């Protein structure tokens, strides 16, 4: 079984490193749609760099699956992220809501599914990793966003990945909870007329999310081009 797992991981690594251009996966976990808009803005920033191929994915809930009525409209529209998606990407930008100052369990469970990439030769080494989150709301806790983002970075470092955050700028002076570790959105989501919680972002949140995606993409391109 172990030999087969090693062979499968190596096959994925060979496939991932025999392509032109560079691939970026923007991945979110969300039930109420708070992070869907943010993920898409980050993806737009990624697309500004020549050669970037970006796809937005979602983490499938390990307990609820895709149960009807459990997720807000738009949350399930993205394809499901898998270990193969991570392996075949040059850059992974991933986010999930904070829970009482910690990374949410669903994202942690997804990270645990990638353990074999570390034990079979640190196969994610050299890939760029970046993170985003949200805090606030009853049951989720308040603040603690930098600790949450650093826990994402800790995962990247454990796999030999290169953590990338938000490039410092004057926009951070006007953005609530701005941090160089990654974008964080906060505030209670409000239902629109259609009953969706896919709330709009503030101008500062848009700028920071866009710049995070673009910056991660720029660094990925430089690393990818240097390796050719």
């Amino acid at each position: 079984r172990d030999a087969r797992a090693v062979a499968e991981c190596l096959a994925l690594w060979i496939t991932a490193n025999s392509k032109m251009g560079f691939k970026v996966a923007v991945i979110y976990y969300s039930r109420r749609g708070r992070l869907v808009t943010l993920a898409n803005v980050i993806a737009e920033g990624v697309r500004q760099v020549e050669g970037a191929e970006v796809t937005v994915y979602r983490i499938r809930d390990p307990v609820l699956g895709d149960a009807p009525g459990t997720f807000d409209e738009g949350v399930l529209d993205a394809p499901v992220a898998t270990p193969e998606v991570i392996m075949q990407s040059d850059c992974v930008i991933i986010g999930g809501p904070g829970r009482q100052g910690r990374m949410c369990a669903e994202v942690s469970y997804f990270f645990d599914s990638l353990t074999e990439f570390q034990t079979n030769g640190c196969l994610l080494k050299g890939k760029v990793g970046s993170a985003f989150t949200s805090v606030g709301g009853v049951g989720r806790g308040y603040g603690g966003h930098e600790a949450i983002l650093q826990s994402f970075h800790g995962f990247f470092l454990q796999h030999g990945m290169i953590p990338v955050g938000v490039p410092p700028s004057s926009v951070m002076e006007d953005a609530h909870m701005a941090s160089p570790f990654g974008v964080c959105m906060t505030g209670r989501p409000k239902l629109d007329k259609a009953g969706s919680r896919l709330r709009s972002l503030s101008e500062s949140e848009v700028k920071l999310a866009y710049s995070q995606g673009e910056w991660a993409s720029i660094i990925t391109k430089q690393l990818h081009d240097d390796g050719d």
Side-chain angles (χ1 to χ4, degrees), residues 15 31 34 64 73 99:
T15 300
R31 288 182 61 189
R34 287 168 59 93
L64 300 174
E73 182 180 357
R99 300 274 173 76

Side-chain angles (χ1 to χ4, degrees), residues 9-19:
C9 287
L10 287 175
L12 286 170
W13 185 88
I14 292 170
T15 300
N17 287 274
S18 61
K19 60 189 182 303

Side-chain angles (χ1 to χ4, degrees), residues 26-30 33-47 54 56-57 93-97 131-135 149 166 182-186 197-213:
V26 179
I27 304 171
Y28 66 84
Y29 174 78
S30 182
R34 287 168 59 93
L35 291 172
V36 177
T37 305
L38 184 57
N40 283 305
V41 173
I42 290 172
E44 281 302 310
V46 171
R47 292 188 180 98
V54 59
V56 177
Y57 297 92
I93 306 174
I94 185 166
F132 58 98
T133 191
S134 65
V135 296
L149 292 166
V166 182
V183 173
C184 175
M185 62 185 299
T186 187
R197 294 180 177 85
L198 299 179
R199 81 164 179 83
S200 61
L201 305 175
S202 69
E203 182 179 353
S204 296
E205 287 173 333
V206 169
K207 289 179 178 179
L208 293 175
Y210 190 92
S211 66
Q212 179 173 350

Side-chain angles (χ1 to χ4, degrees), residues 36-103:
V36 177
T37 305
L38 184 57
N40 283 305
V41 173
I42 290 172
E44 281 302 310
V46 171
R47 292 188 180 98
Q48 303 313 302
V49 179
E50 184 179 1
E53 301 175 19
V54 59
T55 305
V56 177
Y57 297 92
R58 63 182 172 91
I59 293 175
R60 190 171 188 267
D61 193 297
V63 176
L64 300 174
D66 296 338
T70 304
F71 300 88
D72 277 9
E73 182 180 357
V75 172
L76 302 180
D77 291 348
V80 175
T82 63
E84 290 75 22
V85 166
I86 302 298
M87 189 69 253
Q88 293 170 6
S89 299
D90 299 291
C91 173
V92 177
I93 306 174
I94 185 166
R99 300 274 173 76
Q100 304 298 331
R102 298 176 289 108
M103 177 193 302

Side-chain angles (χ1 to χ4, degrees), residues 166-203:
V166 182
S169 71
S170 59
V171 177
M172 290 184 169
E173 298 178 11
D174 301 318
H176 189 49
M177 303 190 113
S179 168
F181 291 106
V183 173
C184 175
M185 62 185 299
T186 187
R188 179 182 299 175
K190 297 179 181 179
L191 293 173
D192 62 17
K193 294 181 180 179
S196 173
R197 294 180 177 85
L198 299 179
R199 81 164 179 83
S200 61
L201 305 175
S202 69
E203 182 179 353

Side-chain angles (χ1 to χ4, degrees), residues 93-139:
I93 306 174
I94 185 166
R99 300 274 173 76
Q100 304 298 331
R102 298 176 289 108
M103 177 193 302
C104 71
E106 293 82 2
V107 174
S108 181
Y109 183 89
F110 180 74
F111 280 163
D112 287 345
S113 74
L114 307 177
T115 301
E116 286 190 349
F117 289 148
Q118 183 190 53
T119 58
N120 291 327
C122 204
L123 299 179
L124 303 185
K125 181 171 61 179
K127 296 181 184 293
V128 170
S130 195
F132 58 98
T133 191
S134 65
V135 296
V138 176

